[in-house]
Amino acid sequence: MPYNRKVILYISMSLDGYIASLDNSLDFLSSVAQEGEDYGYTNFVSSVDTVIIGRKTYEKVLSMGYEYPHVDKAVYIITRSERESIGSFNFYTGDLGELIADLKSRPGGNIYCDGGAEIANELMRNNLIDEFIISVIPILLGDGVLLFRGGRPEQSLRLINSKSFEKGLIQLHYSKVE
């Protein structure tokens, strides 16, 4: 029985396409911080029961002094080094396409791609992202970690929604065209 689980990339980037500065800083995100505004994140996360994240992004979150926020979900940390699972945190070294196929074959909520750029681009290379929710921050970083890298096939998208916010953030929501 097929399940209707979607892989969704939910990410922020600068207007010129960077998700972090050259030193992997996310400080530019604070330019749109606003009391009481989470840009739909809480609603989005409530639709998710599985998270895919790259090891570097996972370690970046931990290095910022935060506890990883998705302890109530199945988390797959994509890495090249074998490690034992810790509770719902699975260190995955296998084929990303096989992982997605396996997850979609099971009942559950949506699957959140929490970054980073390497994982997002690998998923795009293999046409495995069903929806893109991209928050564009009104800043030009000039250099850094580019979200959309070359070496992937062309992919047509359909706009589901776009929304602008008081601090200048524009959120774009697309689905892939089958």
Side-chain angles (χ1 to χ4, degrees):
M1 167 186 252
Y3 297 100
N4 194 24
R5 300 182 78 181
K6 296 176 188 165
V7 175
I8 303 173
L9 175 66
Y10 186 104
I11 201 162
S12 296
M13 70 177 193
S14 65
L15 182 59
D16 51 353
Y18 297 100
I19 61 170
S21 64
L22 273 178
D23 64 354
N24 287 315
S25 171
L26 302 174
D27 290 347
F28 75 99
L29 297 176
S30 65
S31 68
V32 294
Q34 185 175 352
E35 182 77 31
E37 179 61 76
D38 75 350
Y39 301 105
Y41 183 76
T42 300
N43 284 338
F44 167 72
V45 168
S46 70
S47 75
V48 167
D49 71 357
T50 305
V51 177
I52 295 172
I53 186 169
R55 179 198 49 83
K56 288 188 255 182
T57 303
Y58 171 72
E59 289 177 355
K60 175 67 177 175
V61 171
L62 295 181
S63 76
M64 295 168 70
Y66 300 112
E67 180 179 313
Y68 189 73
H70 304 297
V71 295
D72 61 331
K73 302 179 186 321
V75 177
Y76 291 86
I77 301 156
I78 310 304
T79 181
R80 291 180 182 92
S81 305
E82 294 276 342
R83 288 178 59 183
E84 290 291 318
S85 294
I86 303 168
S88 65
F89 289 68
N90 306 284
F91 293 89
Y92 185 80
T93 59
D95 181 82
L96 202 48
E98 290 175 13
L99 174 62
I100 298 299
D102 180 50
L103 293 172
K104 284 186 156 193
S105 74
R106 302 184 222 163
N110 289 325
I111 303 161
Y112 171 22
C113 177
D114 193 14
E118 283 183 52
I119 300 305
N121 278 278
E122 183 64 22
L123 291 169
M124 283 186 272
R125 244 187 311 282
N126 293 290
N127 197 26
L128 296 172
I129 298 177
D130 299 300
E131 293 185 10
F132 299 78
I133 301 174
I134 300 172
S135 295
V136 180
I137 311 300
I139 189 169
L140 298 169
L141 291 180
D143 209 350
V145 179
L146 197 56
L147 175 57
F148 298 110
R149 298 176 182 168
R152 60 186 154 66
E154 181 177 305
Q155 187 175 20
S156 295
L157 303 174
R158 179 180 55 82
L159 182 66
I160 294 173
N161 188 26
S162 66
K163 188 172 181 183
S164 61
F165 294 86
E166 183 180 329
K167 289 277 195 163
L169 180 146
I170 303 288
Q171 192 169 75
L172 305 169
H173 186 175
Y174 290 97
S175 66
K176 73 178 178 180
V177 175
E178 297 293 336

